[in-house]
Amino acid sequence: MRFRFIRGSSNLTAIFIFIFLLSLLSVVVKASIHEYKNEGFIPRFNSFFFHGGSEGMYASKVHGNASSSEDKPIIGKSFIRFESIIFRRPKEIAAKQNEMQQSTGLVEAIIVEVKSRDKIGGAYLNSNAICCTPELANEGSCKVGEVIIRQDPNNPGWPKRIQTPFEGKNEEAKMLLQTVEINRTGMYYLYFMFCDPQLKGTTMSGRTVWRNPDGYLPGKMTPFLPFYGFMSLAYLMLGLLWFVRFVQHWKDIIPLHYHITAVIGLGMCEMALWYFEYANFNVTGNRPMGITLWAVTFSAFKKTFSRLLLLVVSMGFGVVRPTLGGVTFKVMLLGLIYFVASEALELVENLGNINDFSGKARVFLVLPVALLDSCFILWIFSSLSKTLEKLQIRRSMAKLELYRKFTNALAVSVLVSVAWIGYELYFNASDPLSELWRRAWTIQAFWAFLAYVLLVIICFLWAPSHNPTRYSYSEVEDVEEEGISLTGSGVKISGELTERKPAIITDHVFEVIEEDKRE
């Protein structure tokens, strides 16, 4: 597939196109319908193989022949179907064969459950060979030209072997339309293999269809459908409660409330898009690229906006300071860089989530996101420290208590995040072959849930109120903190006015000052 940049586009557009290209280059399949286009075979010991796919599969709920002619017969069935599979060998190899010979080459499709991987190859025969050798054939252990397979006594007929021979001088060998039903839950790997060195240079095309009992979603992705449905409802409930509170006190709304509203709205859109993306994928077997790209973009934008919200709250925006002042550009720049990095990582993670072919690209993209997250955390806690110090100097006890609660909640979330990262590293290191695929969804789901909990805490602490002075910015506090005399005769010492009271201070201003002291 060829891509080209559009002339006259902005640098930012070019960056997004580059990210999109990078993600697509790392993706081999985009659905549980695995497409193969002139794929080559890789040498391994005395065999040649191509990895056709791997997915978590649930056992069929009903048994019988899985038919593609109607929808009803496949409901409740789990299977792998081979469709339009064609093997092509080089012309010079085909020309050397005997035209009258029935089989002049053999390609095998091997389906194995990861728990039975030791049944493939000659390990149990004390041999590193994958294909049968004449010595092993003489012992009656296997047939020359075939992959060595030892049947699983606990699962008769498995690992599954499907053979497709080349006939005479034919350059092509077509695999018959076949469906393999899955009757035991597990992680299944599909390999196309041949043992004859003369077939070197053979390629294959076609597709395989992988289906679980309740739809085409791969097993490790199936739990996301109800999860995103639940999170959509959770954000909807939070949005309704926030809207009611917003309308009740709309006269006392401060700029920070609009930022919180935007994050809630982005969260609602993000969860709804992911739910519809997975629902469509489950029905059709193909990822709806339009919905997926929108969902990824909303997800990256919401993550960025959420982190910026935490940062500006920590800086005391709307509470200690009316604007961000000179740091506005730095905040926006950090947010833009994080959005680009997060978008790239989300694309690779979600477009390459069927087969783990995007491992190297993911590692490369995880590092900048992790570094930027660290920058956010350091900046947030540094800003919180300064904000708490200012509030303590001003003796604004209500705001100080509010920020202490926020700091405690944020500190707990960071500790929980660090612990979860440790668990995630342990999980990935201890499960290289995805044997624990039924629990893998919790890794990603945790972060979405944690973000929601933090948003609920912020909504609770900064909820619209009839008394916005308890957390909104006050010019009087700035005047007091700087020690500026309101009349030229008043003096500010340790956050309190001296006994010389300014003559031109109005009663209203005095009331605000006294109220803030009581807080």
Side-chain angles (χ1 to χ4, degrees):
M1 185 179 293
R2 295 181 180 178
F3 298 86
R4 59 189 179 90
F5 290 101
I6 301 173
R7 292 184 178 180
S9 61
S10 65
N11 293 333
L12 186 59
T13 303
I15 292 174
F16 284 126
I17 294 176
F18 172 75
I19 293 170
F20 183 69
L21 292 179
L22 182 64
S23 65
L24 290 184
L25 288 174
S26 65
V27 177
V28 176
V29 293
K30 299 176 291 186
S32 56
I33 299 176
H34 296 223
E35 300 281 353
Y36 316 118
K37 297 180 180 179
N38 297 321
E39 308 292 348
F41 288 73
I42 301 172
R44 177 78 172 178
F45 291 108
N46 64 339
S47 69
F48 296 81
F49 81 98
F50 168 71
H51 182 200
S54 58
E55 289 185 16
M57 305 287 287
Y58 290 95
S60 296
K61 296 180 179 178
V62 296
H63 301 285
N65 293 326
S67 173
S68 60
S69 60
E70 299 180 5
D71 290 335
K72 290 184 178 180
I74 67 174
I75 295 176
K77 294 184 181 298
S78 181
F79 59 81
I80 302 173
R81 178 180 292 130
F82 297 84
E83 298 180 354
S84 306
I85 301 293
I86 299 176
F87 304 101
R88 295 181 178 88
R89 59 183 173 180
K91 292 182 179 179
E92 58 274 15
I93 299 299
K96 296 178 181 179
Q97 306 303 319
N98 185 348
E99 188 173 4
M100 303 303 295
Q101 191 171 348
Q102 188 173 7
S103 178
T104 55
L106 181 67
V107 182
E108 298 179 287
I110 310 295
I111 305 175
V112 58
E113 187 182 356
V114 68
K115 293 180 179 179
S116 302
R117 58 187 179 276
D118 59 332
K119 303 293 190 296
I120 303 296
Y124 74 102
L125 299 173
N126 297 321
S127 172
N128 292 327
I130 295 177
C131 293
C132 188
T133 61
E135 294 79 10
L136 294 175
N138 291 334
E139 297 175 2
S141 302
C142 53
K143 295 181 181 180
V144 175
E146 295 183 358
V147 175
I148 303 171
I149 294 180
R150 180 164 57 104
Q151 294 296 310
D152 186 351
N154 298 320
N155 192 14
W158 288 85
K160 189 71 68 176
R161 181 206 308 264
I162 302 175
Q163 297 180 332
T164 303
F166 285 93
E167 296 182 358
K169 295 187 176 183
N170 292 342
E171 295 179 18
E172 295 185 352
K174 296 183 179 180
M175 187 175 183
L176 297 176
L177 176 65
Q178 297 191 45
T179 299
V180 177
E181 188 169 340
I182 306 299
N183 294 318
R184 191 164 77 169
T185 299
M187 172 61 70
Y188 287 85
Y189 281 71
L190 168 63
Y191 293 98
F192 294 94
M193 307 179 72
F194 62 82
C195 299
D196 189 352
Q198 293 187 4
L199 292 178
K200 185 177 181 180
T202 297
T203 60
M204 64 165 293
S205 300
R207 71 176 191 172
T208 54
V209 179
W210 304 55
R211 192 184 192 280
N212 273 295
D214 297 319
Y216 290 99
L217 271 179
K220 62 180 179 181
M221 298 172 67
T222 300
F224 283 114
L225 188 59
F227 172 75
Y228 283 122
F230 169 78
M231 291 303 298
S232 297
L233 292 176
Y235 270 97
L236 180 61
M237 291 299 298
L238 179 61
L240 289 174
L241 293 173
W242 181 262
F243 177 76
V244 171
R245 191 82 175 184
F246 197 94
V247 171
Q248 286 178 343
H249 306 284
W250 65 273
K251 292 184 179 180
D252 302 312
I253 296 301
I254 62 175
L256 182 61
H257 291 143
Y258 292 104
H259 287 252
I260 297 174
T261 303
V263 174
I264 295 175
L266 287 171
M268 292 171 64
C269 294
E270 177 196 11
M271 294 301 135
L273 282 170
W274 279 125
Y275 177 79
F276 286 114
E277 196 264 356
Y278 279 93
N280 188 287
F281 187 4
N282 193 46
V283 173
T284 64
N286 286 288
R287 300 201 78 158
M289 297 301 294
I291 300 178
T292 302
L293 290 175
W294 275 109
V296 165
T297 302
F298 265 93
S299 181
F301 194 71
K302 184 244 181 181
K303 285 182 179 179
T304 304
F305 211 84
S306 299
R307 282 157 177 75
L308 291 178
L309 175 63
L310 290 174
L311 182 57
V312 298
V313 167
S314 302
M315 289 180 172
F317 173 68
V319 179
V320 176
R321 56 201 299 180
T323 65
L324 296 180
V327 299
T328 302
F329 176 75
K330 294 180 181 179
V331 171
M332 297 303 295
L333 181 61
L334 179 60
L336 178 62
I337 296 173
Y338 186 85
F339 173 75
V340 173
S342 181
E343 177 87 353
L345 179 60
E346 289 279 343
L347 283 171
V348 169
E349 283 188 334
N350 289 282
L351 297 182
N353 199 26
I354 310 305
N355 281 332
D356 192 18
F357 291 119
S358 57
K360 293 182 179 179
R362 186 182 184 279
V363 170
F364 175 76
L365 294 172
V366 161
L367 293 177
V369 174
L371 179 62
L372 290 169
D373 274 326
S374 300
C375 292
F376 267 113
I377 292 173
L378 291 175
W379 200 353
I380 286 171
F381 278 98
S382 175
S383 300
L384 273 174
S385 177
K386 294 178 182 178
T387 302
L388 289 170
E389 184 179 354
K390 284 184 179 181
L391 292 173
Q392 202 161 12
I393 291 174
R394 294 177 179 181
R395 299 178 182 272
S396 184
M397 303 311 295
K399 295 177 184 178
L400 182 61
E401 184 64 22
L402 184 71
Y403 265 86
R404 280 175 175 169
K405 291 179 180 178
F406 175 67
T407 303
N408 292 337
L410 207 57
V412 171
S413 69
V414 170
L415 291 176
V416 172
S417 298
V418 171
W420 189 260
I421 290 173
Y423 169 74
E424 184 176 349
L425 293 173
Y426 168 77
F427 183 89
N428 292 329
S430 61
D431 187 35
L433 297 176
S434 299
E435 294 181 79
L436 303 177
W437 58 275
R438 300 180 75 172
R439 284 190 281 161
W441 71 278
T442 59
I443 300 296
Q444 181 179 339
F446 168 81
W447 299 111
F449 182 74
L450 180 62
Y452 177 79
V453 171
L454 279 175
L455 182 58
V456 170
I457 292 173
I458 291 177
C459 290
F460 176 77
L461 293 177
W462 276 273
S465 165
H466 67 278
N467 182 26
T469 57
R470 68 189 179 94
Y471 49 60
S472 63
Y473 170 75
S474 172
E475 292 184 3
V476 176
E477 290 179 338
D478 264 357
V479 172
E480 283 190 330
E481 183 186 5
E482 292 171 3
I484 299 176
S485 171
L486 298 177
T487 64
S489 58
V491 182
K492 168 78 164 49
I493 301 175
S494 302
E496 297 180 0
L497 292 174
T498 62
E499 293 182 357
R500 295 177 59 191
K501 299 179 181 178
I504 64 172
I505 297 179
T506 64
D507 293 337
H508 174 69
V509 174
F510 253 115
E511 290 175 2
V512 174
I513 296 175
E514 292 300 321
E515 180 183 352
D516 191 67
K517 286 183 177 181
R518 288 196 298 271
E519 292 178 347

